[in-house]
């Protein structure tokens, strides 16, 4: 379950910050070596609320010296936000060497 950080009221999931801009969700901190970018590609209404049906997940390097075409380390597509968050937390923890 996402929690909020007391420092600056950022939403967190499993100890990493979550930030959203339109249909893109960033998971992780830009000060770390890697982040996750999730883009909601398709959604459907369920009881008048939009629910993600297709989500693109990318593990990306954050280094300033990394070329844009080399930035993406791994990518996949999932059929729900829950599945996307699950793989995102695993990939990010492995990339950062935590847990």
């Amino acid at each position: 379950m996402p929690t909020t950080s007391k420092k600056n009221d950022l939403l967190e999931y499993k100890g990493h910050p979550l930030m959203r801009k339109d249909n893109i969700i960033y998971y992780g901190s830009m000060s770390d070596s890697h982040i996750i970018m999730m883009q909601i590609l398709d959604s459907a209404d369920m009881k008048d609320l939009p629910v993600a049906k297709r989500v693109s997940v990318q593990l990306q390097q954050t280094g300033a010296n990394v070329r844009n075409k080399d930035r993406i380390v791994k990518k996949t597509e999932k059929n729900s936000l829950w599945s996307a968050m699950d793989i995102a937390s695993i990939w990010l923890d492995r990339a950062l060497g935590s847990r």
Side-chain angles (χ1 to χ4, degrees):
M1 183 95 185
T3 59
T4 55
S5 170
K6 301 234 190 259
K7 294 183 270 186
N8 43 9
D9 293 332
L10 287 177
L11 191 62
E12 287 187 353
Y13 179 70
K14 293 188 177 183
H16 301 288
L18 275 168
M19 292 162 273
R20 178 178 175 227
K21 172 73 173 140
D22 299 325
N23 65 337
I24 297 178
I25 300 169
Y26 293 99
Y27 179 50
S29 175
M30 288 301 286
S31 62
D32 290 335
S33 62
H34 293 79
I35 62 160
I36 297 285
M37 185 189 83
M38 293 176 278
Q39 182 176 13
I40 299 170
L41 302 172
D42 191 21
S43 62
D45 287 341
M46 181 179 276
K47 297 185 181 181
D48 298 328
L49 291 173
V51 177
K53 285 178 55 178
R54 231 178 59 189
V55 181
S56 168
V57 182
Q58 295 180 355
L59 174 66
Q60 298 181 353
Q61 296 182 51
T62 59
N65 298 333
V66 180
R67 296 184 312 179
N68 282 340
K69 71 180 222 174
D70 297 330
R71 197 169 292 277
I72 298 171
V73 178
K74 290 183 183 183
K75 63 182 176 180
T76 189
E77 204 171 284
K78 296 296 179 181
N79 58 7
S80 72
L81 186 58
W82 177 259
S83 298
M85 288 300 300
D86 194 27
I87 195 70
S89 67
I90 292 168
W91 282 0
L92 190 60
D93 283 345
R94 285 181 182 170
L96 299 177
S98 53
R99 295 184 190 157

